[in-house]
Amino acid sequence: MTTSTSNTGPIGVAVIGAGMAGRAHCAGYRSAPTLFDPPLPPLRYVAVIDADAAVAADAATRYGFERSGTDWRELLTDDSVHVVSIVVANALHREIAEALLDAGKHVLSEKPLADTIENARAMADAAAAHPDLVTGTAFVYRRQPAVAAIKNLVGQRLGEVSHFNGRYWCDYANSPLTPMAWRYQGGPGTGALNDIGSHLIDLAEFVCGPMTHVSGASFTTLVKERFVAKGTTYGHSRAELTEEKKAVENDDVATFTATFANGAVGTFSISRIAPGHANSMAFDVFAQHGAAKWDMDRPAEFSVVLNESDDALAAYNGYNQVLVGPAHPYLKGGVPMDFPGVSYGVGDLFGFQARAFLEQVAGIEGGLPPVASFADGLRDLEIINAVISSAAAGGATVELPSHH
Amino acid sequence: MTTSTSNTGPIGVAVIGAGMAGRAHCAGYRSAPTLFDPPLPPLRYVAVIDADAAVAADAATRYGFERSGTDWRELLTDDSVHVVSIVVANALHREIAEALLDAGKHVLSEKPLADTIENARAMADAAAAHPDLVTGTAFVYRRQPAVAAIKNLVGQRLGEVSHFNGRYWCDYANSPLTPMAWRYQGGPGTGALNDIGSHLIDLAEFVCGPMTHVSGASFTTLVKERFVAKGTTYGHSRAELTEEKKAVENDDVATFTATFANGAVGTFSISRIAPGHANSMAFDVFAQHGAAKWDMDRPAEFSVVLNESDDALAAYNGYNQVLVGPAHPYLKGGVPMDFPGVSYGVGDLFGFQARAFLEQVAGIEGGLPPVASFADGLRDLEIINAVISSAAAGGATVELPSHH
Amino acid sequence: MTTSTSNTGPIGVAVIGAGMAGRAHCAGYRSAPTLFDPPLPPLRYVAVIDADAAVAADAATRYGFERSGTDWRELLTDDSVHVVSIVVANALHREIAEALLDAGKHVLSEKPLADTIENARAMADAAAAHPDLVTGTAFVYRRQPAVAAIKNLVGQRLGEVSHFNGRYWCDYANSPLTPMAWRYQGGPGTGALNDIGSHLIDLAEFVCGPMTHVSGASFTTLVKERFVAKGTTYGHSRAELTEEKKAVENDDVATFTATFANGAVGTFSISRIAPGHANSMAFDVFAQHGAAKWDMDRPAEFSVVLNESDDALAAYNGYNQVLVGPAHPYLKGGVPMDFPGVSYGVGDLFGFQARAFLEQVAGIEGGLPPVASFADGLRDLEIINAVISSAAAGGATVELPSHH
Amino acid sequence: MTTSTSNTGPIGVAVIGAGMAGRAHCAGYRSAPTLFDPPLPPLRYVAVIDADAAVAADAATRYGFERSGTDWRELLTDDSVHVVSIVVANALHREIAEALLDAGKHVLSEKPLADTIENARAMADAAAAHPDLVTGTAFVYRRQPAVAAIKNLVGQRLGEVSHFNGRYWCDYANSPLTPMAWRYQGGPGTGALNDIGSHLIDLAEFVCGPMTHVSGASFTTLVKERFVAKGTTYGHSRAELTEEKKAVENDDVATFTATFANGAVGTFSISRIAPGHANSMAFDVFAQHGAAKWDMDRPAEFSVVLNESDDALAAYNGYNQVLVGPAHPYLKGGVPMDFPGVSYGVGDLFGFQARAFLEQVAGIEGGLPPVASFADGLRDLEIINAVISSAAAGGATVELPSHH
């Protein structure tokens, strides 16, 4: 184990936040030791923390954690805890992460890494100050087998990428009756761009390498006011509305273009008012020797063109449908029945992510690709900020800092 | 709890067989208590049994079972075991199931229920003789959210079904270099029909209700001989071949038609030599007021036509793509992030199945649909037998026994 | 020119019947000389005949025919007419065709060749008695570029076909309010099987070669009675209904299996009560070295699997989408802008068919594939008859006459 | 007839240019009188002009024009000619169009309207100076039935459009062995943007209404040099190459964003180096009450979401596949067999376009939508110019002139 909390016993795991995503982290840790080879060292499921004691207790019982609590600070002094997931409101990430790192814990933070770029930078600095600890940002979509398969083709059989065309379209904000909520407040870029575009931006760099510039950013707000709900609302749910309306402050639709260090160009289209798209991220990658595409609506497959034969130039040119299976990343040993055509679900992704993080903590070499670091989490916010700057400057080109 | 082994402690679980499917059962039991409401009673993961001690031990460690062993008979006298999955060769199912039932255990058997219809009938009789015990046949594909969503439409918004058109196409036997194996031996109908057609037949009755007749059965063997491999082979893998060839005794392709009790007609097409189809089951259902279709290659979606408006009769007639989400069976509470477009994997299905069986054992009302019974397992074999009889009689119509 | 009406002037064309299909023949002849190389000999558009004088006159004007008339017999003695299309009610085909052949005309008959197999056989005999005249049955779907491309792969790069799975699904009869019409009367097999199944059967033999047996035929009538309409109805249109109901005498759904001379097996599913399918024919072909599929709903493409590389056996196994273009049959020179991705419409098919028939009449070698003969038209009816016999015998196997 | 060349005889038609597109115009005029109601006035097919006398003669013979010639000026004084299509190199459009208008002819010009915006403006001015003559720009893709069906939904059942996402991807320039040609020379924006992007831009305004700004334009050239061919090359064909290379001067990929007068935002992605896409234009339109999408690879269908019921918000949210048929624009009366699922080809589009132009000339009211005007052709070039300006200014926002 590479942890400063060196010991010879099991790796102790805790999760802070037991909402939907927090429970996904719990489930991921629970399935991690069942997956892949070699076996992980023994794990100990120590604690689930949530401000709501009943929620924390329920999660602890379901996922087999030893105890639950309401105060994350109790983990700081618990020597049996080595690995902690932070799955609470973004504005709390920095304080918790800094404290955990100072206490010698490995930290896996949900994305976005922080609520502001300043806080994200502080967290990346804190991670750099603790090189003996593993830090991660939970860009769980990197674990999708089809996406990983495409990434492995880029720069290899596909050759250098020339063009990335991505979109993330949701419909959660399309109805004017969806009530006002925190997600509709904050300046331009804190809307669709930050909420869902952040995933697409991360995948774009994951697949194509670092961007150098963004350009032509444009934000649009079509639903300009929303009714205030009568009580508390959760997630994207409907609610009884008052007659009061408040202004929507941020972007329903965000579009921009980008250039990559390798000369490729990217087009990005992001919307939260896209009827028919409950939750739909997709991209096309074009390269010297072919193309690939993937659509989260059809997660069990991807499509490729490999221009390696004369056929591809004439009568049989077109996309090849590829159903993911044991020949692709993650699936061999990563799902219970690892034969072709088995698909995978979001739960599997959290298992792969938890396993990868635990492999890093345990110092297992040659296993899964490592989790995105805090630096990667900062990077995502840097790009979002640059897109906001481009929009503020009427679409002007904005140079990105180089990605460390 | 409805078990004869009444107690007030946790429900003890054991799995016999730790190959791929056995491990899937282990994983299913492991995730079952994390899913849905209300919480399950406490579970105890007692034992994994496999003829190969190392395989059993690995599974026990990974999935958190207390011990492993090589002799299933040790479970008979273990009072801490209440629920047992049988996931070994079909020819062993009867002996094990009868012994477990006599020992007061609830038994979930992998499909097909037995190697012969006589043995399956004996197992169904044994189950009937123990009405206090829960028995199940693991038709896990019934747990697919999209399939379950379609079943719920049939007889309801879709009206009475008129036509079922199903196919199960695989390519595992297409290469003449795939070596001879046990699966290519046995009489007509023991090939593609029994191996994969059995799943399709089960889903057809699951969705459309009982069949009354089968007709026009036709078996075809295109690869008439296969080379004997040099050593032992596993699953569908390639191997070094000897020069010796043996005759393939059973069906590469099986086709037949069926009639259902409600007057509907069915067409079935089953092949193990279908290039391009690694593992591809799909069906169309037509009914009075619309249609639905599903394809295992695209598990995260299904398609419906609902002819309820004038639109549907004119300019907007056609299939509606439906991406599964929390509005459909199993997904609300059944996957960690239960928002729209989350997909699901084969691991999720085993979790749903294990949860359903444990709900039955624990006497939880109003939960998941129950697991197919031993009687359902027998039924599947009765239909397969009738198809074999039809083929033997040159395609003549064969009447099925009524389904109890 | 191979015609007995030898002359050195233009080829004179006439069309009998100016309903929808008759006008399609007119349009086909009109575009035929604009297509492909070498140029056709000069054509003369002589006459359009229809029982309704105004309909005939309108068609003649639109398509540039010199005159119109109401009596097909006037063509018999018109030496300027060499080629005649018969596009009237099936029961009239025989009389007209025999008279035209006796008058030395080349005859292209719409399908089905006749109303009864006896009349079809008489027509095939008449054709055989006039070997100097060209006869054709207008199976226009053979002209679809994607279907022709698949046919060209079978027996070649795909190797021997093993399995054909076809379906023709329409929804025109699904509503119980669609009024009674002639198409719902006649015995079993005169419904969906004859109306639309005949096209599928023709394509099956076109792609896979001759069938030898049919088996397991099953007919189902779900809408057992229909209201009589108040006035005359045309095509599939709705109408004001009386309260009188009459029994539907023939098949809403027809299913059967078949075997081919090359050992392949076929599954056929045909329905006129398939909601969501306005007019949907599709098939899959599996063969030694791959597979192909086509769906009339997506006419501009087909899909192939070619198992010629290791890729195809592992990570990139799956269907390749092929968009039809100039690399495929008919499109180079057959559409005005013959670049990739141009699609084609039903009008193009009638142009290809007319051109092919005129090439045969003009004795042009090496051009388009010839039109299906009267013998092919008879063949289609022989297979339909065998399916009817199989159904009458409870699904028993029925041997087909060999195809001459 | 609204022509200044008033007469009582037939409308005389001529086509200048008999290459692929010129022949498509010829074919369109030939089929125009066969389509729709009411019948067109009589047509007279007068002349086909091409610099290559043999090419002109072949086209005249095939399409039934009375004569051919090599000098377009001979049409100026031919009183039997009323309607002329210009289908020659862009740089010649202005001179020919001005002369024809001055001679009192109606003029249909291929797109782009001219080689430079100055010439296009002069042509629009010339058209304005002859209000008694009909002028048109041949944006033939506006005639696609599926595109027209979507246009008809926008602002109506779909409500106001919020977001347009379009792409036109081809692969003709992807191979570095495709030789240098005129299309690779000229400044930024004269490449993919002008060649294929011009179609997409026209459809965007056709469907969504006028744009007001473009922004974030980015041009990328991935294949920076190309080999000079040994002889003359045609179209996109391969050729024997010399060892000499020349610099590619224009864009392989062009991306930009746009805003529309109605507040909607657009994202445009255009590439000529997109492997797997022979000729692939597609777009998504999102609006208040739903969405629609269309892909030229699947021309016979489009997809819609109509959020008009509770269903659409829950279990059955997703795209509805719509197969074009007689319920959609152009198909009723526009194809020979106008039943559902008939598809259409590029030839049909030229027929619809020719018919529309002839209806305008003949003063037929209530028929097909009119052909895009010379002003529309100018507009397309204005937008292209603005995109070029945006790119030159590092992606800055560029305001468009209002569209007259």
Side-chain angles (χ1 to χ4, degrees), chain B residues 16 79-80 84 95 97 110 128 150 177 196 203 214 237 239 247 260 269 319 333 340 346 367 397 403:
Chain B
I16 304 173
D79 284 349
S80 67
V84 183
E95 179 188 5
E110 255 308 312
I150 291 175
L177 301 181
I196 53 176
L203 285 194
V214 296
S237 59
F260 292 85
S269 171
Y319 280 90
V346 69
T397 298
H403 187 189

Side-chain angles (χ1 to χ4, degrees), chain D residues 172-216:
Chain D
Y172 62 78
N174 191 59
S175 170
L177 301 181
T178 300
M180 174 54 60
W182 61 266
R183 71 179 68 242
Y184 301 112
Q185 296 171 325
T190 65
L193 178 67
N194 189 66
D195 192 16
I196 53 176
S198 53
H199 288 291
L200 180 63
I201 288 167
D202 180 67
L203 285 195
E205 285 206 324
F206 178 65
V207 170
C208 301
M211 296 180 197
T212 59
H213 301 80
V214 297
S215 178

Side-chain angles (χ1 to χ4, degrees), chain A residues 162-163 165 169 171 174 216 218 220 222 253 255 257 263 265 267 269 274-277 284 286-288 290-291 305 317 319 394-395 397, chain D residues 162-163 165 169 171 174 215-216 218 220 222 253 255 257 263 265 267 269 274-277 284 286-288 290-291 305 317 319 394-395 397:
Chain A
S162 56
H163 185 194
N165 185 73
W169 294 337
D171 62 4
N174 191 61
S218 169
T220 309
L222 273 288
V253 183
T255 65
T257 60
V265 62
T267 323
S269 172
H277 292 266
D284 299 80
F286 297 105
Q288 287 172 294
V305 174
N317 192 357
Y319 280 89
T397 299
Chain D
S162 57
H163 184 195
N165 186 72
W169 293 338
D171 63 2
N174 191 59
S215 178
S218 169
T220 308
L222 273 289
V253 183
T255 66
T257 61
V265 62
T267 322
S269 171
H277 293 266
D284 299 79
F286 296 105
Q288 287 172 293
V305 173
N317 192 358
Y319 280 90
T397 299

Side-chain angles (χ1 to χ4, degrees), chain C residues 49-66:
Chain C
I49 307 294
D50 194 277
D52 181 324
V55 165
D58 178 72
T61 302
R62 285 180 182 263
Y63 298 101
F65 283 68
E66 297 171 9

Side-chain angles (χ1 to χ4, degrees), chain A residues 5-252:
Chain A
T5 329
S6 66
N7 63 23
T8 53
I11 303 176
V13 175
V15 174
I16 303 173
M20 184 190 282
R23 293 194 303 271
H25 279 253
C26 292
Y29 287 122
R30 186 173 171 88
S31 65
T34 73
L35 310 174
F36 304 112
D37 283 310
L40 286 177
L43 299 184
R44 192 174 152 195
Y45 300 103
V46 180
V48 177
I49 307 293
D50 195 277
D52 183 325
V55 165
D58 179 73
T61 301
R62 284 179 182 264
Y63 298 102
F65 283 68
E66 297 170 10
R67 73 168 194 268
S68 62
T70 58
D71 183 0
W72 58 269
R73 287 179 186 82
E74 71 179 67
L75 303 177
L76 298 176
T77 54
D78 185 338
D79 284 350
S80 68
V81 171
H82 309 97
V83 168
V84 183
S85 280
I86 304 176
V87 202
V88 291
N90 307 337
L92 303 176
H93 287 191
R94 178 182 173 179
E95 180 189 3
I96 300 175
E98 288 178 344
L100 288 170
L101 289 169
D102 286 342
K105 313 300 187 192
H106 306 283
V107 180
L108 174 58
S109 170
E110 253 308 311
K111 59 75 49 188
L113 184 59
D115 54 338
T116 68
I117 196 162
E118 293 72 24
N119 283 335
R121 196 169 288 122
M123 289 172 71
D125 290 345
H130 292 285
D132 52 332
L133 293 173
V134 182
T135 62
T137 309
F139 286 117
V140 75
Y141 291 140
R142 291 189 180 193
R143 305 290 162 181
Q144 290 164 122
V147 171
I150 290 174
K151 176 186 167 57
N152 290 348
L153 287 169
V154 167
Q156 303 296 319
R157 290 184 63 179
L158 283 174
E160 283 305 305
V161 64
S162 56
H163 185 194
F164 176 91
N165 185 73
R167 49 120 170 138
Y168 202 143
W169 294 337
C170 294
D171 62 4
Y172 62 78
N174 191 61
S175 169
L177 302 181
T178 300
M180 174 55 60
W182 60 265
R183 72 178 69 244
Y184 301 111
Q185 297 171 322
T190 65
L193 177 66
N194 188 66
D195 192 18
I196 53 176
S198 53
H199 287 292
L200 181 63
I201 289 168
D202 181 67
L203 285 195
E205 285 205 323
F206 178 65
V207 170
C208 301
M211 297 179 193
T212 59
H213 301 79
V214 297
S215 178
S218 169
F219 296 138
T220 309
T221 306
L222 273 288
V223 183
K224 296 186 195 306
E225 292 185 312
R226 289 186 184 275
F227 290 101
V228 175
K230 281 200 172 148
T232 312
T233 62
Y234 294 98
H236 299 300
S237 58
R238 296 296 176 83
E240 203 179 345
L241 302 176
T242 66
E243 294 189 7
E244 185 192 359
K245 276 187 157 187
K246 284 193 178 166
V248 172
E249 298 170 358
N250 55 28
D251 39 304
D252 285 338

Side-chain angles (χ1 to χ4, degrees), chain B residues 162-163 165 169 171 174 215-216 218 220 222 253 255 257 263 265 267 269 274-277 284 286-288 290-291 305 317 319 394-395 397, chain C residues 162-163 165 169 171 174 216 218 220 222 253 255 257 263 265 267 269 274-277 284 286-288 290-291 305 317 319 394-395 397:
Chain B
S162 56
H163 184 195
N165 186 70
W169 294 336
D171 63 2
N174 191 59
S215 177
S218 168
T220 309
L222 272 290
V253 183
T255 66
T257 61
V265 62
T267 323
S269 171
H277 292 266
D284 298 80
F286 297 104
Q288 285 173 294
V305 174
N317 192 358
Y319 280 90
T397 298
Chain C
S162 57
H163 184 193
N165 186 72
W169 294 337
D171 63 2
N174 191 59
S218 169
T220 309
L222 273 290
V253 183
T255 66
T257 61
V265 62
T267 323
S269 171
H277 292 267
D284 299 80
F286 297 104
Q288 286 173 294
V305 174
N317 192 359
Y319 279 90
T397 299

